[in-house]
Amino acid sequence: MLVVARRLDRLQSLAGEISPQGCLVHCIQADLEVAGGANDLWSRIIDKGFSPDLFVNNAGFGLYGNSLELPLQRELAMVELNISSLLVLTKLAASQMAKGGGGTVLNLASVAAFQPGPRMATYFATKSFVLSYSQALNEELCARGVRVLALCPGNTSTAFHTVAGTTRVKAMQKMFAMEAKSVARQGIRQIDSGKSVWIPGLLNQAMVLIVGLLPRKWVTHLSGQVLRAD
Ligand SMILES: NC(=O)c1ccc[n+]([C@@H]2O[C@H](COP(=O)([O-])OP(=O)(O)OC[C@H]3O[C@@H](n4cnc5c(N)ncnc54)[C@H](OP(=O)(O)O)[C@@H]3O)[C@@H](O)[C@H]2O)c1
């Protein structure tokens, strides 16, 4: 197994946890929000002799705030990580899988992918890209033995909210949050299901169902109400 992030110390402690269970873990330090970061990472994966049959694009972050006040450079970095790097790595990994024995690319989208998000406009839009792109690619590639699965979690207890600044959103604090392990387990279980989308948790599934039934204008207004800081 190969794990990637910017903080090597955290990767190494993760490797220390997993390795005793009989899985050899390699760590690569990489920053995927800089231009060229994804291509550079792929070269290093190939150089190490890896040919993945499961590739998970998990890294991503959000930004909370009034759109005109958010720093443009951070938004562009978010687009680079959540969209550009995911696109590059999905394409490279899927091409390799199509040439070899097939495989699965698991892309982290979100329930945010199903609706616009006032005060998180760019983040919600990046996740809509991930959902749409993954579903389309899955349809194109399934005949070649490659599956692309968009995993769409709802509120999950991770560092995401501290990074995004959504700890200021009162409604978010009251919202039910799933454990990250449970979300990850559900995603892994769906790999051989043939599905192109999976929403972990019954509450999240119900919410997405309701969002799909309501007029888009109402959904956008409601989403804006939930994402108010006060
Ligand atoms: N938590 C939620 O409520 C929620 C809900 C729906 C979807 N999601 C999605 O789930 C995914 C995982 O997020 P999370 O909740 O686990 O957040 P998290 O706790 O902040 O984890 C983000 C992970 O991505 C890595 N990462 C961040 N920026 C990176 C960069 N520039 N280059 C390489 N790696 C980077 C981080 O490691 P380093 O910081 O060490 O690089 C960390 O391992 C994201 O795509 C997020 O949008 C989260």
Side-chain angles (χ1 to χ4, degrees):
M1 184 197 290
L2 205 155
V3 288
V4 181
R6 291 166 302 178
R7 287 170 290 177
L8 193 57
D9 55 331
R10 287 169 58 94
L11 290 177
Q12 283 165 343
S13 85
L14 176 70
E17 271 177 50
I18 303 173
S19 298
Q21 294 164 31
C23 177
L24 187 59
V25 183
H26 298 260
C27 304
I28 295 189
Q29 185 177 31
D31 188 350
L32 298 173
E33 65 188 54
V34 297
N39 275 303
D40 188 50
L41 169 63
W42 186 255
S43 305
R44 290 163 70 194
I45 293 172
I46 297 301
D47 287 350
K48 279 186 180 282
F50 277 89
S51 180
D53 59 4
L54 172 63
F55 194 96
V56 181
N57 278 305
N58 174 66
F61 73 92
L63 285 173
Y64 175 77
N66 294 323
S67 290
L68 299 186
E69 286 152 25
L70 286 176
L72 179 60
Q73 285 311 317
R74 290 308 299 146
E75 284 194 274
L76 291 173
M78 179 170 56
V79 170
E80 186 70 36
L81 178 63
N82 296 9
I83 295 183
S84 303
S85 286
L86 178 138
L87 164 62
V88 169
L89 290 168
T90 300
K91 231 172 131 87
L92 290 168
S95 303
Q96 176 107 343
M97 289 169 190
K99 279 187 233 143
T104 301
V105 180
L106 196 164
N107 286 335
L108 261 291
S110 166
V111 291
F114 297 90
Q115 62 207 294
R119 293 178 198 82
M120 291 189 86
T122 310
Y123 174 71
F124 274 53
T126 65
K127 292 300 172 180
S128 295
F129 171 88
V130 175
L131 175 63
S132 173
Y133 177 68
S134 302
Q135 283 191 281
L137 213 62
N138 184 63
E139 182 66 27
E140 274 187 55
L141 295 180
C142 61
R144 299 175 68 184
V146 181
R147 311 299 315 212
V148 184
L149 170 66
L151 182 63
C152 301
N155 195 15
T156 307
S157 305
T158 67
F160 175 88
H161 299 286
T162 310
V163 174
T166 42
T167 43
R168 286 182 282 153
V169 182
K170 286 210 178 106
M172 204 75 98
Q173 291 164 11
K174 291 180 195 149
M175 218 178 266
F176 169 77
M178 284 183 74
E179 290 303 316
K181 270 188 187 167
S182 162
V183 170
R185 268 199 206 103
Q186 289 209 25
I188 297 296
R189 268 195 221 117
Q190 294 305 318
I191 283 171
D192 294 323
S193 69
K195 292 191 175 84
S196 62
V197 182
W198 182 252
I199 301 160
L202 280 175
L203 270 178
N204 293 324
Q205 290 167 8
M207 195 196 80
V208 168
L209 189 72
I210 292 165
V211 159
L213 296 173
L214 292 175
R216 189 89 166 160
K217 195 176 163 185
W218 293 11
V219 168
T220 309
H221 179 69
L222 284 172
S223 174
Q225 293 302 306
V226 171
L227 288 168
R228 281 161 58 122
D230 44 57

